[in-house]
Each structure stands twice: as C-alpha cells, then as structure tokens.
Amino acid sequence: MVRFVETSVRDGHQSLFATRMTTKEVVDLCAILDDAGYHAIEVWGGATFDAAMRFLNEDPWERLREVRKVCKKTKLQMLFRGQNILGYRHYSDDVVDMFCKKSIENGIDIIRVFDALNDIRNLRQAVESTKKYGGECQIALSYTTSPVHTIEYYTKLAKEVESLGADSLCIKDMAGVLLPEDATKLVTAIKKEISIPLELHSHCTAGVCEMTYMAAIKAGVDIVDTSLSPLSNGTAQPSTQALAVALKGSEYDPKLDMDVLHKAEPLMTQVVNKYVGNGLLNPKSLQVNPNILTYQVPGGMLSNMIKQLTDQGAMDKYEEVLREIPHVRKDLGYPPLVTPMSQMVGTQAVLNVLSGERYKMCAKEVKDYLHGRYGKAPAAVNEDVKKKIIGDDEVITCRPADLLEPEFEKLKEKYADIARSDEDVLSLALFENVARDFLKKKYAHEDVEEDSFEMFV
Ligand code: CO
C-alpha cells in the first residue's frame, strides 16, 4: 500500500495561484478531507505564512489552529526551510527551536525540513527541536540534476539523513524534472540503504510526473504527494483522485475513501473558479511545459525572471537569460534551483545578460553565498568568478548558524510594542514589515471591539 499526502491547501494553491486560498476555504476543505484516509495533509509553511498576512490580512497561526480543530484524524504537515525557517536569512538555533515548538503546539504533527543546498548541517537544529517537542521530522532532499547530483550523491545523503534521526525521507523535486527511469534507479538505490519511509514530492509542470510517480511506486516508494483535482496538474502535483483510481485494486492501493474525495470536489471547484475568475490562476500554469526539462527552471523562478525583464523593458532577452542560467549554476557549484538559490541564480543570469558582462553586477545574496553564509556549495565554485566578486575575502567553512548569537529574547524585546505572544514575535522575526502592518490592524480592530463591548457593561 502506498500512502498519499494531500498538498492542495499548501503547495497546490502556492503553485497555481500565488498561495491565495483563505483560511475559511482551507478549513472547509480540511473538514471534509479529514475522513479520506490520507497519511497527512500538508497545510502550512512555505509561502502560506507570508501570503496569509500580506495579501489576506489573516493570522497564519490562527489558520493552523482552525485546521487542527477540524482535522481530528489526519496528521498535519508543514514545509520548513531548515535554518531559514520560512524566511530568507539564517536564524539562530533558539529561534528555530521556538518555531518548531510553537508549530507543534499549535497543531503540526510532521515538519518537513529541507535545505536548498542539501547541507545537512543546516537541518540539524530543526530535526533536534522537532523531536524534542514530540513532532515527527521528515528531511527532504532537494532534487536536481548536475554532474555532482548522482544517485550515489543522494544515496550517501539519505544514509546521513537516517543517522541524523529523521523519521522519514522525502525526495523533493520542486521543479518537476525527475524522469521515470531515474526515479526507478533513485528509489531502488535509496530503499536499499535506509529503513525509514521514503516519500516522493514532484510537480506536473513538465508533463511527466504521473509516469515518474508510477515508476517510483513500483520501485518501492512508501508515500507520494498528490493534490485534489481540480487543484492538481499544471505546475502543481498529480491529481489525488486519478492516481488513487489508477492504483485501485493493486498492491499499491492507497485505500482512500473515494466518496469523501467526491464530496470535496464541488468545494474545490468553487475555490478554483474564483481564482480563474479574478485572474490569479493563469491558464498558462495549467499547461504542460516540457521546456522545463531543458532549463530546469521551476515555475516560480520563471515568473520572477519574466517580471524582472518586463520591468527593465528587456523581454527580448528572455531566451538569452534562459541560456545563461546553466552557466551561472555551474559557476556557483550547481546549487539546486529552489528558494533562495533559484532567485539568486535567476537574478544573476538577468544581471549577466543585461549588463553585457558576466558578474560585472552582483546581488548581495550571491556575495553572501560565495562567502559561505548559506552553507556549503554542492560542488566547487568557479574560482575566477569568486575572485571577481568577493576578491580575497575570508570564506566561512563552519555551519553558518554557529556564528549567530541566541536572538529570540532580543527579538521579543525589539517587538515588545506590538507582539502579544511568542507566535507574534516569530511572525515579526520572519517577515518584519508585513507582520508589523498585519498585527497593527489586527490589534487595533480587536481593541475597538473590546472597547465597544465595555460601553454596554
Ligand atoms: Co513543491
């Protein structure tokens, strides 16, 4: 039997319409899906946290608590970017610890932790803290292809993940570039080496995902990530219903309650129609895009680059920028193209093309990366490029967070004027301006309600 993790209310809407599902939409769906028989429902983390406050004026912590109330049987899962948590810089260990603690307290069961560079040192604290507070910890390895990202590379890392104490391992193919034959080899090799469950996460962008899932399932993968139709395919995950039906009656049957899924469909259709209607769901996201197999560029990175080029009035350079990406990636030691590396590589490719000279201009983040502040590059970086950008500067070789002093108490003090809970402090630590605006409105509103209530006492 293969278990399914439902991703529609996290990755599904993040991939298809910029993470705009509201808490009510998420909660109403989860209330039904709780009875379907999933291994877990992915409900939190990734971009959901930022988007809730920034675009929906909603508290992400409240969403989690509301979902927990209606999900009595199914485990709730979140996505967590190692020492970055959900933000873009490295946080000190005590902040990572507090975030794990609060996530679990507010309702998370499984924390899926990954690091863009697969630098295991950046995962250690999250694993330790998740276990400490009684959560289940899954480590996800960012999947990409390059001369260094071989089956041996992933198998070796898988063994390290198991010995680090993770409860399960996930192959996270964020760009949807894993092909069926490679999935067979990869899953077979990893399953031989580890005894913890193995999960596969991929995207339909290139049009090969269902075939890849099938190959992985036959090779022994234990869990796959799927998204309820109509919030599936395109740049999201394969359809939960379709894959469940395809496996029905076989030894891999996920044994989901199809009546429950059927019951959830009208609600999901209503949600999707809303975002088609308001233009947030671009029909392009639903089309098969095999070009991704050539350039290995995840959907989010493409739309970011298109925006940068449009802003500069340089969309005619689009193809040239796409061709520049593999060069930049090689120069930087083949980082997997996932946040924050995807943005760095994409922006650098744009700068290289627009300035007419490679690395004449350089983003601060790329400089930090070359200084070792994000961790260890998967392969050696191009020394000439490094010299051109950071000269003879000293490069960090330790775990970047080892250089950070504990900061939670300081953050608490810094935000004392606005934060009313540790959860608020964490929101502010991750997305300072967005959280500040949001909390101001939230508490102004609550205070007004309290005041008006008192008038009638
Ligand atoms: Co994904």
Side-chain angles (χ1 to χ4, degrees):
M1 176 173 164
V2 171
R3 305 298 309 269
F4 281 19
V5 169
E6 175 61 42
T7 61
S8 50
V9 297
R10 203 287 297 172
D11 204 344
H13 67 123
Q14 183 172 332
S15 296
L16 288 174
F17 46 86
T19 336
R20 296 296 208 280
M21 263 174 99
T22 64
T23 293
K24 187 180 184 317
E25 288 166 346
V26 170
V27 170
D28 288 351
L29 265 160
C30 286
I32 302 175
L33 296 176
D34 190 35
D35 289 320
Y38 288 107
H39 172 68
I41 306 178
E42 190 191 39
V43 295
W44 215 54
T48 61
F49 197 95
D50 181 13
M53 293 188 288
R54 191 189 295 262
F55 303 112
L56 306 168
N57 204 22
E58 289 183 348
D59 194 326
W61 297 97
E62 262 168 39
R63 174 179 301 187
L64 177 54
R65 289 190 290 269
E66 293 299 313
V67 173
R68 181 75 279 174
K69 268 189 225 157
V70 299
C71 282
K72 299 189 173 69
K73 305 173 190 157
T74 315
K75 287 180 184 171
L76 300 182
Q77 184 169 312
M78 76 170 291
L79 182 66
F80 191 107
R81 205 179 312 120
Q83 211 71 27
N84 297 156
I85 311 181
L86 308 175
Y88 301 104
R89 69 164 172 101
H90 277 238
Y91 288 88
S92 63
D93 289 337
D94 65 330
V95 177
V96 172
D97 185 76
M98 184 59 92
F99 202 95
C100 291
K101 179 175 188 245
K102 289 292 165 187
S103 302
I104 293 164
E105 264 180 32
N106 281 280
I108 289 293
D109 299 290
I110 307 172
I111 301 187
R112 171 182 287 174
V113 195
F114 78 102
D115 176 65
L117 299 172
N118 292 323
D119 186 337
I120 296 288
R121 300 172 306 170
N122 291 336
L123 305 170
R124 209 186 295 142
Q125 183 62 49
V127 176
E128 203 187 297
S129 299
T130 304
K131 308 283 286 184
K132 183 165 97 184
Y133 299 112
E136 222 178 290
C137 189
Q138 175 177 80
I139 288 183
L141 295 175
S142 311
Y143 180 79
T144 189
T145 58
S146 86
V148 289
H149 291 92
T150 58
I151 297 214
E152 294 69 36
Y153 166 93
Y154 282 108
T155 314
K156 185 172 162 280
L157 272 177
K159 280 193 269 187
E160 284 179 40
V161 163
E162 184 168 42
S163 50
L164 201 63
D167 298 295
S168 60
L169 170 71
C170 175
I171 301 164
K172 178 177 162 63
D173 176 22
M174 53 280 165
V177 295
L178 178 62
L179 299 176
E181 192 62 25
D182 295 330
T184 303
K185 288 182 193 150
L186 188 62
V187 169
T188 307
I190 292 178
K191 284 296 286 182
K192 261 191 210 142
E193 297 293 340
I194 62 168
S195 54
I196 52 174
L198 178 63
E199 181 160 349
L200 178 60
H201 174 92
S202 185
H203 289 255
C204 297
T205 324
V208 296
C209 194
E210 285 94 338
M211 293 177 262
T212 301
Y213 270 28
M214 216 49 156
I217 288 168
K218 290 193 170 163
V221 88
D222 302 284
I223 311 163
V224 290
D225 287 6
T226 63
S227 187
L228 192 78
S229 180
L231 202 73
S232 59
N233 292 90
T235 46
Q237 274 75 54
S239 150
T240 305
Q241 300 97 312
L243 199 63
V245 169
L247 296 171
K248 207 162 180 53
S250 75
E251 59 183 296
Y252 310 111
D253 193 334
K255 302 214 164 59
L256 291 184
D257 188 328
M258 298 307 284
D259 291 337
V260 171
L261 299 186
H262 197 61
K263 219 169 99 189
E265 275 171 31
L267 202 56
M268 190 56 104
T269 305
Q270 216 180 324
V271 169
V272 169
N273 285 346
K274 176 178 140 191
Y275 295 100
V276 171
N278 68 15
L280 270 175
L281 203 169
N282 186 331
K284 246 193 157 163
S285 311
L286 293 167
Q287 286 164 8
V288 170
N289 177 8
N291 286 335
I292 203 154
L293 298 174
T294 314
Y295 297 114
Q296 301 232 340
V297 180
M301 179 175 164
L302 265 188
S303 46
N304 207 34
M305 273 170 32
I306 291 173
K307 183 165 186 315
Q308 288 172 339
L309 287 172
T310 313
D311 288 350
Q312 299 293 320
M315 259 315 276
D316 57 316
K317 299 278 198 319
Y318 181 63
E319 286 293 323
E320 208 180 321
V321 170
L322 279 180
R323 282 196 300 272
E324 180 64 11
I325 290 171
H327 286 283
V328 175
R329 230 186 125 218
K330 186 175 177 210
D331 288 340
L332 298 184
Y334 296 110
L337 296 180
V338 62
T339 305
M341 296 315 303
S342 46
Q343 289 85 343
M344 272 190 234
V345 171
T347 304
Q348 192 57 50
V350 169
L351 289 174
N352 283 1
V353 169
L354 293 189
S355 69
E357 181 189 326
R358 283 190 176 142
Y359 309 105
K360 185 179 170 188
M361 289 160 75
C362 193
K364 180 189 170 286
E365 287 77 11
V366 174
K367 287 181 194 162
D368 284 346
Y369 169 76
L370 291 172
H371 280 112
R373 294 197 186 112
Y374 286 86
K376 196 175 180 302
V381 298
N382 181 328
E383 281 300 322
D384 295 336
V385 168
K386 188 169 130 193
K387 200 153 177 109
K388 180 165 183 178
I389 300 173
I390 64 163
D392 292 322
D393 287 4
E394 204 187 319
V395 172
I396 296 166
T397 52
C398 66
R399 186 183 71 120
D402 284 343
L403 303 172
L404 302 175
E405 295 287 327
E407 57 184 332
F408 189 75
E409 288 307 318
K410 280 181 225 155
L411 289 165
K412 217 170 161 169
E413 234 167 82
K414 180 177 174 191
Y415 301 125
D417 62 319
I418 181 97
R420 296 191 183 180
S421 63
D422 287 345
E423 283 83 352
D424 286 351
V425 175
L426 291 168
S427 302
L428 288 154
L430 292 171
F431 304 101
E432 184 169 8
N433 296 334
V434 172
R436 196 172 267 286
D437 287 351
F438 163 71
L439 290 171
K440 252 187 222 159
K441 277 183 257 168
K442 176 180 168 178
Y443 291 133
H445 181 68
E446 279 183 12
D447 290 345
V448 166
E449 280 182 356
E450 275 170 28
D451 288 351
S452 45
F453 179 75
E454 276 168 18
M455 285 200 309
F456 299 100
V457 174

